[in-house]
Amino acid sequence: MSENNSGRLPLRPLGGTGLEVTPVCLGCGVLGGMERIFGYDVTADQGVATVRRALDSPVNFLDTSAGYSDGESERRVGAALRAHGGLPDGYVLATKVDPDPETRDYSGAQVHRCAEQSRERLGIDSFQLLYLHDPEVIGYDAAMAPGGPVEALVELRKAGVAAHLGVAGGPIELLSRFVATGLFEVVLTHNRYTLVDQSAGPLLDQATAAGVAVVNAAPFGGGILAKGPEAVAKYAYREADDAILNRIRTMQDRCTAHDVPLGAAALQFSLREQRIASTVVGVSQPERVDQTVAWANWPIPDELWRELRDLLSNGPDTGTAGRGKG
């Protein structure tokens, strides 16, 4: 069976934001060059070319962060936007505030500085969606304290600098606490709703009940569910144990028997989950944009889904594993 290149990606509501997004969101975490996490670098030209391909693709949702390679991801996104003539109509660009890369300051003042720097790098006047990124680095109480980052984000929304606020991080229980505040319209979880680990399930239930959109990042667990365990031996940026490796090998064998790429099944496992508005897939070269769209549309028989369902496991929360979202 050849790749399905129909490119059909119908829009979905992003919770109650009023924004409509494709079920696939292209992640720019690696575009600034995160060799320590992903094991390879990306040149500036390649990064800009990848974003330009994304802007011309059926996908209308792009995700980056101030903290990705100390702002280099945002610089490359900004360069691509300038070359493209600006953000296309109907396109949604999300970014995130982060601690100071040198001092690790994550105060409200840092959030204001970070947001201003992001606007300059991206070349935009205001944010459609701005996330609090990795709040686990300071914890819930510090994040919510007077003068802290959450208070600053609310100030940015009141000032019209950010239209919508989200929270993006790792530990499920921590994200749940932020969702419960009612201050966030979107929650982004990574590595915790995949073919290997579905521990984000309770968060998906909570967010759905509260009208908070869920964005699911890293459906490939850092690459192993796209390239296979023979090429990548880590899950969520940590060495995978034999049980996980063997389960993924079995999944890959089942997929091969049905002429379905493992990556297509891993991606569509997230796409077919009704509680998830969009799924972030990290891309590092223009061809990966095309491949992601093809995988999103790859025909997968019900028989394979039944076989994969037997291999699922509500795995443990992977804690603070990794900061890459792809």
Side-chain angles (χ1 to χ4, degrees):
M1 183 181 297
S2 62
E3 291 189 11
N4 183 330
N5 290 308
S6 66
R8 186 178 61 86
L9 292 173
L11 297 178
R12 299 176 178 178
L14 188 65
T17 65
L19 299 172
E20 290 189 318
V21 296
T22 47
V24 172
C25 173
L26 296 175
C28 300
V30 72
L31 290 189
M34 297 175 74
E35 187 172 4
R36 180 181 61 83
I37 293 176
F38 292 99
Y40 59 92
D41 200 3
V42 176
T43 67
D45 288 347
Q46 181 176 325
V48 172
T50 301
V51 177
R52 295 195 68 181
R53 181 70 63 86
L55 296 172
D56 288 328
S57 78
V59 176
N60 85 330
F61 195 8
L62 201 65
D63 176 272
T64 185
S65 176
Y68 294 156
S69 302
D70 295 340
E72 187 60 26
S73 175
E74 287 186 334
R75 290 186 193 95
R76 295 177 184 183
V77 171
L81 291 176
R82 288 189 294 274
H84 193 83
L87 197 66
D89 290 341
Y91 215 97
V92 176
L93 172 62
T95 193
K96 311 177 187 77
V97 295
D98 279 279
D100 183 280
E102 295 182 1
T103 67
R104 308 311 298 165
D105 171 30
Y106 211 170
S107 64
Q110 161 60 16
V111 166
H112 282 284
R113 288 192 297 269
C114 185
E116 183 58 32
Q117 292 164 357
S118 291
R119 287 201 294 171
E120 292 176 2
R121 287 189 290 259
L122 293 168
I124 60 176
D125 295 326
S126 62
F127 304 100
Q128 294 162 292
L129 174 59
L130 185 62
Y131 290 101
L132 174 73
H133 195 198
D134 289 343
E136 54 265 37
V137 302
I138 58 170
Y140 178 84
D141 291 340
M144 294 294 297
V150 173
E151 182 180 273
L153 282 173
V154 172
E155 291 169 354
L156 290 171
R157 180 164 59 186
K158 288 180 178 178
V161 175
H164 305 287
L165 301 182
V167 57
I172 296 303
E173 291 184 2
L174 178 62
L175 291 178
S176 177
R177 295 183 70 184
F178 284 107
V179 169
T181 66
L183 296 172
F184 299 95
E185 298 164 90
V186 183
V187 59
L188 184 153
T189 176
H190 65 89
N191 288 297
R192 292 162 176 85
Y193 199 84
T194 72
L195 284 171
V196 169
D197 181 349
Q198 300 91 54
S199 59
L203 177 66
L204 271 58
D205 287 337
Q206 177 196 12
T208 301
V212 174
V214 175
V215 174
N216 185 39
F220 304 139
I224 190 171
L225 288 168
K227 301 176 182 178
E230 304 311 318
V232 178
K234 293 182 178 181
Y235 178 82
Y237 324 109
R238 294 176 176 173
E239 293 298 326
D241 62 30
D242 288 341
I244 288 178
L245 292 174
N246 289 334
R247 188 147 52 95
I248 294 174
R249 288 190 187 99
T250 301
M251 290 178 177
Q252 188 173 41
D253 289 343
R254 301 286 175 85
C255 288
T256 299
H258 290 278
D259 198 18
V260 173
L262 176 62
L267 175 57
Q268 290 191 39
F269 176 74
S270 180
L271 299 186
R272 69 204 304 262
E273 172 52 62
Q274 295 301 306
R275 296 170 295 175
I276 294 172
S278 193
T279 299
V280 184
V281 177
V283 289
S284 59
Q285 53 187 303
E287 294 77 12
R288 295 301 183 194
V289 176
D290 302 334
Q291 181 187 65
T292 299
V293 173
W295 280 357
N297 287 284
W298 199 287
I300 299 181
D302 290 341
E303 182 181 355
L304 176 56
W305 287 125
R306 288 192 291 269
E307 293 174 7
L308 292 176
R309 192 179 303 121
D310 293 338
L311 295 167
L312 298 182
S313 170
N314 290 313
D317 188 341
T318 50
T320 57
R323 295 190 59 188
K325 314 293 193 296

